[in-house]
Amino acid sequence: MIRYEKYSNQYTDRIDCPGTEKHYRLTRADQWCIMIEKFLPLVSPIQQMPVYEDDVWVITYPKCGTTWTQEMVWLLNNGLDYARAGKQTLEERFPFLELSGALSLMDGDSVGRVQDLPRPRHIKCHLPVMLLPDAIRTVRPKIIYVSRNPKDAATSFYHHYRNIVGYDGPREHFFDAFLNDSLIYAPFSEHVRAYWEWSKQPAGANCLFLTYEQMKRDLRAVIGRVSNFLGKRYTEREVDELEKHLSVESMRDNKSCNMDDLLEWARNTTHSEERKQLSKTNFQFIRSGTVGSYRHDMDDDYIQRFEEYERAATEGTDFDFFF
């Protein structure tokens, strides 16, 4: 049973904005996470949602390489059908399960949309283990989880909050909320660690754990791991083509992946009147695509605080954010 209660502190108060407001703490046994009020009606439908063995799930904490991984996984699992991928947006091919509960002003029934997908379904979500459908533990679909180092994850999420969610405050307030586990989907460290532990259990063979840093360092090797996980085989030439297709430059230019519709929705819905009057920004949903981009947004004090956060998150485990 999942219990929930209104959650408010100095950190949530400072980052409340049109896209994510009215935070709640959800608890299940000894696990907890932060979500927003809009998510609460989705708790039971998601818990009770049917799950199928041929489902493929891509799960991440937000801004950890989700879109990049989705495009790779969908193509590998669909015979590298670039023509079809170009005709349908990634959201159509690989919809976001809890979208209508992750943005305060977002309409629609994202859970119902996922339930009605033709099989095999490809499903994106950012939910921690405790909020996944109950059946996922017994049906055991394929799950691909992607982690990222906290400094880059927080920096990318900050830019997402400014340009999608409607946050107009200083980056330091956002980083404080991240470090104090007061953002939607928090706590980040437990989110990542729970999937890492799942992937290492004997029963976790259906969960492939990747990192953003691995994908940046050797995308070709990751393509091979994901292909094997999905039971697919491709030639060297086909992998060459896929690797080129998945480059940051190609992804930014890919209309089916670059979320232009979401950006336009945000400009019309979550942006303050002052920001609407500003000249159009150059923000792109697929942003820098680099490791270490946090150096442009964090001073030495915050870098040190994040490194302390990383040490606390990995202490006593065999997990490391950089591998």
Side-chain angles (χ1 to χ4, degrees), residues 150-151 154 178 298 302-310:
K151 293 190 285 292
F178 189 103
M298 283 187 193
Y302 274 94
I303 291 174
Q304 182 178 349
R305 289 176 61 187
F306 268 88
E307 289 175 351
E308 291 170 356
Y309 180 91
E310 292 166 13

Side-chain angles (χ1 to χ4, degrees), residues 60-66 126 148 152-153 156-157 160 283 285-286:
T60 71
Y61 191 88
K63 309 310 295 179
C64 290
T66 324
H126 295 310
R148 192 176 190 180
D152 280 337
S156 186
F157 206 13
H160 178 89
F283 175 79
F285 191 85
I286 300 169

